[in-house]
Amino acid sequence: MTKVPNNNAAAYAKKKAPGTKSTKAPSKKKDDEEAVEIADGWDEWTNGKALIKPPDQVVLTEAELKEEVTRILTANNPHAPENIVRYSFKERSFKPISAVDQMAVHFVLEGSLVYQDSDDSRSLKDKKGPPEENTADDTKAESDEETKPQASPAEDGGDVEDACKEDRPDSAASKADEKGPKLTNKFNFSERASQTLNNPLREKSCQTEPPPRSIFSAMANQWEIYDAYHKELQKQEKNKEKQKAPCSKKDDDKSKKKDMWLETLSDDVITNLSKATKIIERMVNQNTFDDIAQDFKYFEDESDKFRDEEGTLLPLWKFQHDKAKKLSVTALCWNSKYQDMFAVGMGSYDFSNQGHGMVAFYTLKNPSYPEYIYATNSSVLCLDIHEQHSFLVAVGFYDGCVAVYNLKETGAEPVYKSTAKTGKHTDPVWQVCWQNDDMDNNHNFYSVSSDGRVVSWTLVKNELVYTDIIRLSVVSDGPEGAQPHSFTCGTSFDFHKQIDYLFLVGTEEGKIHKCSKTYSSQFLETYDAHSMAVDAVKWNHYHPNVFISCSSDMTVRLWDHTINTPLFTFDLNAAVGDVAWSPYSSTVFAAVTTNGRVHVFDLSINKYEAVCQQVVVAKKNKLTHIRFNPIHPIIILGDDRGYVTSLKLSPNLRKQPKLKKGQELPKGPEVEVAKMEKLLSLLREPEQSSI
């Protein structure tokens, strides 16, 4: 028995009965054709199909086939840039943009279809009017159907199913018949929802053209300034040489005038440049040493409240110059007009090793470099600044010359200088001091030297005119009485503050002579002061009878010029280099020693010991000179290594006397004189009682 394949059933369906007649509508034929195609496809599907394997297919194992590969799909656009940078004018820098549009559009089609229930469709219907033609066509179709003869049930036996389908209310024909003018419902409510993409945040910015800028930068150090000056000097020398060359043409004359004009212009440029660079250098130094400047102006040592009488010294600025490291500080002097400026004389006290010297002017506003520098061929041993004319500086040298420098002049040479023809000293000049102008209003100063002469120098036109005031002689007791034996060396001198003609001279033998400008043949008084050379002698600023002296014999002595014996003697345990009175008190003075210590005394507080003893330099360094500032509570110290150190006095070192409640603080020089007189009266009472 053989099985009939499924294709026979399909073939059987294709065959028609011989006595029957097809009464199906034309639309039925389409269904028959589709059925035939499905049957043909079924035959092909039921037949066994052989799998075709390509030759280059990858062979996988069972484990690889069972392995699950996880892939995560994200909504980010892989082609969207992630490193977009925009310039932010608010912050003045480039900033990355974090928000990037991730939406990617693959297809866009703009159509003309409109929803029936939308407002646009209603407006279009209103413009076209009611559908009258459609209703007329429907009435004609109904009349035609009524006139047609009804078919017999035998004939319509084959189309029963189709008729039933057409008569159903949900059929397409019935729906087509039911179409008509649809009335709008004014109370219709419809809820629609749609999902849209959230647009990314965007930053709207306006870009404008920035204002034009120019960046200027340059180095302005000492060497570049020096090179600029050097080049300018070379230009000036070339211009002068061109001017000296003979020329006969008019063009040469015109070129000369142009060169002269350029030369004057360059000088103005140099002066303006020097002023600008000085201001900039001071600004930079004030920023660099801002802490020291704050201490100088505002710091007060609070620990002085817990000390009864002692005080301290606060280190401030330190001044030095690279070319003066091997020189010693031989002189210090404050400028009376510009209280922040002082002059420093540099040389050598080693007489077996003499060389060049230097005069430098420093200011507290610029501690890193001097304002003025004058190099000298001989060591500078002393200097003094004129009180009224602060631009004039008198200088004494080791070779016996004296000179006067004018700070207003541009040259490095002094405007006045003594020579052998004009009566210069034959030995080192130890001190110079300006005095009041003479009757012809000529400036003059005095000098003392190791040759035993005290000389007055007068500035007359372009030369120095000298006058010997006194010669320091040594008196020895002989058989014929007191006779001048020889001349002694002068080491220091000082003029009285109130009495113009009176002055003191210290000698190398340790004696102090009281002299007068009017008596050149003899001394008014001689004090046997020290056993070694007198390094300094100073009159008190307030009391007219008191002066002080110091020596290398380690002592400082206080004197009354009406008494031959010292009032006070202080042993400092080291050679004393210099001593100075304070400008604010008649009982305060300070001294420096070769062991690097500063000793500050206040006789109104303690008559026997210093109220401050402090080491301010290294042990190897020796202090040589000290000076009080005329206004500010600071002192400056010089050592044998070329360094100048500034120190601030603590409150206990400038203490005012205690007063009762309601009592005002007295002021004026009379108060300081009374304070010193009270101290001297304590020393004079025992002498008067013994008499």
Side-chain angles (χ1 to χ4, degrees), residues 1 16 28 31 116 142 179 197 209 240 274 283 346 368 437 458 504 515 561 574:
M1 217 177 143
K16 298 181 179 179
K28 190 68 177 176
D31 297 337
Q116 293 181 356
E142 290 178 357
K179 285 183 179 179
L197 293 173
E209 293 183 0
K240 290 180 180 178
S274 62
M283 292 170 61
M346 298 182 184
S368 64
D437 296 348
T458 305
L504 298 170
C515 306
H561 78 90

PDB file of all heavy atoms in Angstrom, residues 1 16 28 31 116 142 179 197 209 240 274 283 346 368 437 458 504 515 561 574:
ATOM      1  N   MET A   1       0.825  -1.177   0.000  1.00  0.00           N
ATOM      2  CA  MET A   1       0.000   0.000   0.000  1.00  0.00           C
ATOM      3  C   MET A   1       0.869   1.240   0.000  1.00  0.00           C
ATOM      4  O   MET A   1       1.798   1.337   0.764  1.00  0.00           O
ATOM      5  CB  MET A   1      -0.858   0.028   1.279  1.00  0.00           C
ATOM      6  CG  MET A   1      -2.210   0.563   1.053  1.00  0.00           C
ATOM      7  SD  MET A   1      -3.193   0.498   2.536  1.00  0.00           S
ATOM      8  CE  MET A   1      -4.046   2.014   2.269  1.00  0.00           C
ATOM      9  N   LYS A  16     -12.070  21.006 -11.068  1.00  0.00           N
ATOM     10  CA  LYS A  16     -13.466  21.388 -10.939  1.00  0.00           C
ATOM     11  C   LYS A  16     -14.383  20.235 -11.352  1.00  0.00           C
ATOM     12  O   LYS A  16     -14.045  19.388 -12.156  1.00  0.00           O
ATOM     13  CB  LYS A  16     -13.768  22.603 -11.813  1.00  0.00           C
ATOM     14  CG  LYS A  16     -12.964  23.834 -11.422  1.00  0.00           C
ATOM     15  CD  LYS A  16     -13.349  24.987 -12.317  1.00  0.00           C
ATOM     16  CE  LYS A  16     -12.596  26.232 -11.941  1.00  0.00           C
ATOM     17  NZ  LYS A  16     -12.930  27.379 -12.831  1.00  0.00           N
ATOM     18  N   LYS A  28     -13.407  36.547  -5.954  1.00  0.00           N
ATOM     19  CA  LYS A  28     -13.106  35.210  -5.456  1.00  0.00           C
ATOM     20  C   LYS A  28     -11.920  34.612  -6.135  1.00  0.00           C
ATOM     21  O   LYS A  28     -11.211  33.767  -5.594  1.00  0.00           O
ATOM     22  CB  LYS A  28     -14.358  34.343  -5.651  1.00  0.00           C
ATOM     23  CG  LYS A  28     -14.280  32.997  -4.980  1.00  0.00           C
ATOM     24  CD  LYS A  28     -14.286  33.151  -3.474  1.00  0.00           C
ATOM     25  CE  LYS A  28     -14.288  31.802  -2.781  1.00  0.00           C
ATOM     26  NZ  LYS A  28     -14.196  31.925  -1.321  1.00  0.00           N
ATOM     27  N   ASP A  31      -8.625  35.001  -4.360  1.00  0.00           N
ATOM     28  CA  ASP A  31      -8.417  34.094  -3.213  1.00  0.00           C
ATOM     29  C   ASP A  31      -7.959  32.736  -3.684  1.00  0.00           C
ATOM     30  O   ASP A  31      -7.115  32.092  -3.043  1.00  0.00           O
ATOM     31  CB  ASP A  31      -9.705  33.970  -2.407  1.00  0.00           C
ATOM     32  CG  ASP A  31     -10.132  35.297  -1.789  1.00  0.00           C
ATOM     33  OD1 ASP A  31      -9.221  36.171  -1.625  1.00  0.00           O
ATOM     34  OD2 ASP A  31     -11.321  35.467  -1.482  1.00  0.00           O
ATOM     35  N   GLN A 116      -7.944  63.251  11.305  1.00  0.00           N
ATOM     36  CA  GLN A 116      -9.328  63.687  11.079  1.00  0.00           C
ATOM     37  C   GLN A 116      -9.865  64.533  12.228  1.00  0.00           C
ATOM     38  O   GLN A 116     -10.608  65.486  12.008  1.00  0.00           O
ATOM     39  CB  GLN A 116     -10.244  62.463  10.878  1.00  0.00           C
ATOM     40  CG  GLN A 116      -9.939  61.701   9.602  1.00  0.00           C
ATOM     41  CD  GLN A 116     -10.868  60.505   9.411  1.00  0.00           C
ATOM     42  OE1 GLN A 116     -11.699  60.212  10.295  1.00  0.00           O
ATOM     43  NE2 GLN A 116     -10.745  59.824   8.274  1.00  0.00           N
ATOM     44  N   GLU A 142     -28.584  53.054  -4.623  1.00  0.00           N
ATOM     45  CA  GLU A 142     -29.729  52.352  -4.003  1.00  0.00           C
ATOM     46  C   GLU A 142     -30.839  52.092  -5.019  1.00  0.00           C
ATOM     47  O   GLU A 142     -31.466  51.023  -5.042  1.00  0.00           O
ATOM     48  CB  GLU A 142     -30.251  53.186  -2.848  1.00  0.00           C
ATOM     49  CG  GLU A 142     -29.271  53.200  -1.664  1.00  0.00           C
ATOM     50  CD  GLU A 142     -29.799  54.099  -0.529  1.00  0.00           C
ATOM     51  OE1 GLU A 142     -30.863  54.698  -0.742  1.00  0.00           O
ATOM     52  OE2 GLU A 142     -29.112  54.184   0.509  1.00  0.00           O
ATOM     53  N   LYS A 179     -20.665  55.391   5.585  1.00  0.00           N
ATOM     54  CA  LYS A 179     -19.955  56.664   5.575  1.00  0.00           C
ATOM     55  C   LYS A 179     -20.902  57.790   5.221  1.00  0.00           C
ATOM     56  O   LYS A 179     -21.733  57.648   4.334  1.00  0.00           O
ATOM     57  CB  LYS A 179     -18.807  56.647   4.581  1.00  0.00           C
ATOM     58  CG  LYS A 179     -17.616  55.846   5.062  1.00  0.00           C
ATOM     59  CD  LYS A 179     -16.477  55.906   4.080  1.00  0.00           C
ATOM     60  CE  LYS A 179     -15.272  55.128   4.572  1.00  0.00           C
ATOM     61  NZ  LYS A 179     -14.161  55.164   3.599  1.00  0.00           N
ATOM     62  N   LEU A 197      12.050  63.649  23.355  1.00  0.00           N
ATOM     63  CA  LEU A 197      13.394  63.735  23.926  1.00  0.00           C
ATOM     64  C   LEU A 197      13.557  65.056  24.669  1.00  0.00           C
ATOM     65  O   LEU A 197      13.060  66.098  24.221  1.00  0.00           O
ATOM     66  CB  LEU A 197      14.446  63.637  22.825  1.00  0.00           C
ATOM     67  CG  LEU A 197      14.557  62.290  22.106  1.00  0.00           C
ATOM     68  CD1 LEU A 197      15.526  62.414  20.945  1.00  0.00           C
ATOM     69  CD2 LEU A 197      15.012  61.206  23.068  1.00  0.00           C
ATOM     70  N   GLU A 209      35.096  91.381  20.872  1.00  0.00           N
ATOM     71  CA  GLU A 209      36.539  91.546  20.712  1.00  0.00           C
ATOM     72  C   GLU A 209      37.139  92.122  21.986  1.00  0.00           C
ATOM     73  O   GLU A 209      36.686  93.168  22.470  1.00  0.00           O
ATOM     74  CB  GLU A 209      36.835  92.483  19.542  1.00  0.00           C
ATOM     75  CG  GLU A 209      36.442  91.891  18.193  1.00  0.00           C
ATOM     76  CD  GLU A 209      36.822  92.806  17.058  1.00  0.00           C
ATOM     77  OE1 GLU A 209      37.381  93.876  17.360  1.00  0.00           O
ATOM     78  OE2 GLU A 209      36.588  92.451  15.901  1.00  0.00           O
ATOM     79  N   LYS A 240      81.269 113.549  21.093  1.00  0.00           N
ATOM     80  CA  LYS A 240      82.257 114.584  21.364  1.00  0.00           C
ATOM     81  C   LYS A 240      83.417 114.516  20.379  1.00  0.00           C
ATOM     82  O   LYS A 240      83.940 115.555  19.929  1.00  0.00           O
ATOM     83  CB  LYS A 240      82.771 114.451  22.795  1.00  0.00           C
ATOM     84  CG  LYS A 240      81.727 114.816  23.848  1.00  0.00           C
ATOM     85  CD  LYS A 240      82.290 114.657  25.244  1.00  0.00           C
ATOM     86  CE  LYS A 240      81.243 115.012  26.300  1.00  0.00           C
ATOM     87  NZ  LYS A 240      81.764 114.827  27.685  1.00  0.00           N
ATOM     88  N   SER A 274      66.935 106.622  35.288  1.00  0.00           N
ATOM     89  CA  SER A 274      67.530 106.380  36.606  1.00  0.00           C
ATOM     90  C   SER A 274      66.516 106.600  37.718  1.00  0.00           C
ATOM     91  O   SER A 274      66.448 105.836  38.682  1.00  0.00           O
ATOM     92  CB  SER A 274      68.745 107.290  36.803  1.00  0.00           C
ATOM     93  OG  SER A 274      68.337 108.656  36.773  1.00  0.00           O
ATOM     94  N   MET A 283      60.554  99.863  45.526  1.00  0.00           N
ATOM     95  CA  MET A 283      59.294  99.127  45.676  1.00  0.00           C
ATOM     96  C   MET A 283      59.555  97.636  45.853  1.00  0.00           C
ATOM     97  O   MET A 283      58.949  96.983  46.718  1.00  0.00           O
ATOM     98  CB  MET A 283      58.404  99.377  44.460  1.00  0.00           C
ATOM     99  CG  MET A 283      57.887 100.811  44.351  1.00  0.00           C
ATOM    100  SD  MET A 283      57.078 101.145  42.783  1.00  0.00           S
ATOM    101  CE  MET A 283      55.729  99.978  42.847  1.00  0.00           C
ATOM    102  N   MET A 346      84.620 103.766  54.261  1.00  0.00           N
ATOM    103  CA  MET A 346      85.243 102.446  54.317  1.00  0.00           C
ATOM    104  C   MET A 346      86.719 102.551  53.982  1.00  0.00           C
ATOM    105  O   MET A 346      87.109 103.279  53.061  1.00  0.00           O
ATOM    106  CB  MET A 346      84.549 101.475  53.361  1.00  0.00           C
ATOM    107  CG  MET A 346      83.089 101.243  53.688  1.00  0.00           C
ATOM    108  SD  MET A 346      82.292 100.064  52.610  1.00  0.00           S
ATOM    109  CE  MET A 346      80.615 100.161  53.205  1.00  0.00           C
ATOM    110  N   SER A 368      69.440  97.076  49.870  1.00  0.00           N
ATOM    111  CA  SER A 368      70.207  96.115  49.073  1.00  0.00           C
ATOM    112  C   SER A 368      71.355  96.744  48.305  1.00  0.00           C
ATOM    113  O   SER A 368      72.335  96.061  47.999  1.00  0.00           O
ATOM    114  CB  SER A 368      69.266  95.409  48.089  1.00  0.00           C
ATOM    115  OG  SER A 368      68.732  96.340  47.168  1.00  0.00           O
ATOM    116  N   ASP A 437      79.264 128.931  58.589  1.00  0.00           N
ATOM    117  CA  ASP A 437      79.941 129.693  57.539  1.00  0.00           C
ATOM    118  C   ASP A 437      80.656 130.916  58.132  1.00  0.00           C
ATOM    119  O   ASP A 437      80.256 131.450  59.178  1.00  0.00           O
ATOM    120  CB  ASP A 437      78.922 130.151  56.493  1.00  0.00           C
ATOM    121  CG  ASP A 437      78.277 128.972  55.772  1.00  0.00           C
ATOM    122  OD1 ASP A 437      78.783 127.843  55.930  1.00  0.00           O
ATOM    123  OD2 ASP A 437      77.267 129.180  55.081  1.00  0.00           O
ATOM    124  N   THR A 458      88.457 126.258  54.181  1.00  0.00           N
ATOM    125  CA  THR A 458      87.411 127.136  53.661  1.00  0.00           C
ATOM    126  C   THR A 458      87.258 126.912  52.164  1.00  0.00           C
ATOM    127  O   THR A 458      88.258 126.844  51.433  1.00  0.00           O
ATOM    128  CB  THR A 458      87.755 128.613  53.926  1.00  0.00           C
ATOM    129  OG1 THR A 458      87.997 128.795  55.319  1.00  0.00           O
ATOM    130  CG2 THR A 458      86.611 129.517  53.499  1.00  0.00           C
ATOM    131  N   LEU A 504      87.051 120.249  71.982  1.00  0.00           N
ATOM    132  CA  LEU A 504      87.892 119.271  72.666  1.00  0.00           C
ATOM    133  C   LEU A 504      88.669 118.466  71.641  1.00  0.00           C
ATOM    134  O   LEU A 504      88.147 118.146  70.566  1.00  0.00           O
ATOM    135  CB  LEU A 504      87.048 118.328  73.524  1.00  0.00           C
ATOM    136  CG  LEU A 504      86.233 118.945  74.665  1.00  0.00           C
ATOM    137  CD1 LEU A 504      85.281 117.900  75.244  1.00  0.00           C
ATOM    138  CD2 LEU A 504      87.150 119.480  75.763  1.00  0.00           C
ATOM    139  N   CYS A 515      90.306 123.384  73.943  1.00  0.00           N
ATOM    140  CA  CYS A 515      90.945 124.421  73.143  1.00  0.00           C
ATOM    141  C   CYS A 515      89.921 125.470  72.720  1.00  0.00           C
ATOM    142  O   CYS A 515      88.702 125.273  72.848  1.00  0.00           O
ATOM    143  CB  CYS A 515      91.599 123.816  71.907  1.00  0.00           C
ATOM    144  SG  CYS A 515      92.758 122.483  72.257  1.00  0.00           S
ATOM    145  N   HIS A 561      83.536 119.575  82.207  1.00  0.00           N
ATOM    146  CA  HIS A 561      84.735 120.279  81.764  1.00  0.00           C
ATOM    147  C   HIS A 561      85.236 121.310  82.791  1.00  0.00           C
ATOM    148  O   HIS A 561      86.341 121.846  82.646  1.00  0.00           O
ATOM    149  CB  HIS A 561      84.480 120.954  80.409  1.00  0.00           C
ATOM    150  CG  HIS A 561      83.705 122.224  80.491  1.00  0.00           C
ATOM    151  ND1 HIS A 561      84.293 123.455  80.637  1.00  0.00           N
ATOM    152  CD2 HIS A 561      82.373 122.457  80.454  1.00  0.00           C
ATOM    153  CE1 HIS A 561      83.361 124.388  80.658  1.00  0.00           C
ATOM    154  NE2 HIS A 561      82.178 123.809  80.552  1.00  0.00           N
ATOM    155  N   ALA A 574      86.603  95.225  77.269  1.00  0.00           N
ATOM    156  CA  ALA A 574      87.126  95.076  75.898  1.00  0.00           C
ATOM    157  C   ALA A 574      87.428  96.472  75.373  1.00  0.00           C
ATOM    158  O   ALA A 574      86.912  97.480  75.880  1.00  0.00           O
ATOM    159  CB  ALA A 574      86.129  94.361  74.994  1.00  0.00           C
TER     160      ALA A 574
END
